[in-house]
Amino acid sequence: MTVFLVDDDELILFVMRSMLDGEGYAIREFASPVKALRALDESPGLIVSDVSMPGLDGFELAARVAERLGPSPPRTLLVSGDAHVRRLQETPTSQVVGLIRKPFSSEKFRQVARLMASSRDRCPGTLRAVNFGQKCRPDAEPSDYADRLCPCRTPQYATCPVYDDHVGLPLRRWISC
């Protein structure tokens, strides 16, 4: 899976890349969201972007990616020192899967990347429901998927009628807690 790292701070790019080294991802770094948008032909599986950047912010980047790539865009994970609760609630899970608050541990960052890689192509056919429970579980693993399968009626997860309830929102709560 190709991972795009987008941040206007070169030190943060270096740190995020270091956290993912050895995980088997093809990593591309971009110092601006505009440069990342120009490289979308490379079909990233995950975009990790800072929220606060000059020009486009991370939410706007995710929206532009979705506009350009249609109903099943790559997952976008945001990183920020602020929670951005309202904007996160207003943004579809098909655009922004979650937000990790800085500073974050390398283990949490790798767990989220692994989960994104393993859940990227849940549609068509069936979706595994995420079962992280009601409380925040920072130690939850991708293996915490529930055993039940949910019917999926479309080939793109972004337009799947059960995606948000069974996967998108529980995943966002786990990532963003």
Side-chain angles (χ1 to χ4, degrees):
M1 174 174 77
T2 300
V3 177
F4 280 15
L5 302 177
V6 185
D7 200 304
D8 59 329
D9 185 329
E10 289 185 30
L11 180 59
I12 299 295
L13 284 174
F14 174 79
V15 169
M16 288 192 298
R17 181 182 193 93
S18 298
M19 289 178 174
L20 293 179
D21 273 349
E23 294 289 316
Y25 305 117
I27 299 173
R28 292 282 318 272
E29 297 175 29
F30 300 93
S32 87
V34 173
K35 290 179 182 176
L37 285 171
R38 289 185 194 136
L40 283 179
D41 294 340
E42 296 176 32
S43 302
L46 173 64
I47 298 172
V48 180
S49 176
D50 186 26
V51 173
S52 301
M53 294 178 288
L56 292 176
D57 69 20
F59 286 99
E60 293 165 332
L61 171 62
R64 295 239 182 126
V65 168
E67 276 175 27
R68 202 159 141 206
L69 298 182
S72 197
R75 307 267 174 98
T76 299
L77 173 67
L78 299 178
V79 294
S80 177
D82 299 315
H84 298 280
V85 174
R86 176 170 279 147
R87 286 190 75 190
L88 193 59
Q89 289 172 342
E90 294 169 352
T91 304
T93 59
S94 61
Q95 288 180 16
V96 174
V97 72
L99 184 144
I100 297 181
R101 298 267 317 260
K102 295 178 190 174
F104 48 85
S105 73
S106 59
E107 185 53 34
K108 172 80 176 199
F109 191 59
R110 283 192 297 268
Q111 279 182 328
V112 172
R114 280 186 219 122
L115 183 58
M116 296 300 92
S118 71
S119 67
R120 173 72 178 116
D121 297 314
R122 290 283 180 223
C123 291
T126 58
L127 287 168
R128 287 193 176 274
V130 176
N131 184 17
F132 295 127
Q134 297 292 50
K135 64 180 186 167
C136 179
R137 297 233 351 251
D139 61 335
E141 289 287 337
S143 61
D144 288 340
Y145 282 111
D147 289 331
R148 66 192 169 100
L149 297 176
C150 307
C152 182
R153 297 175 189 90
T154 89
Q156 292 88 17
Y157 73 87
T159 56
C160 174
V162 296
Y163 177 83
D164 265 357
D165 290 338
H166 293 284
V167 178
L169 294 174
L171 183 60
R172 179 181 280 179
R173 284 191 292 273
W174 175 71
I175 291 169
S176 303
C177 64

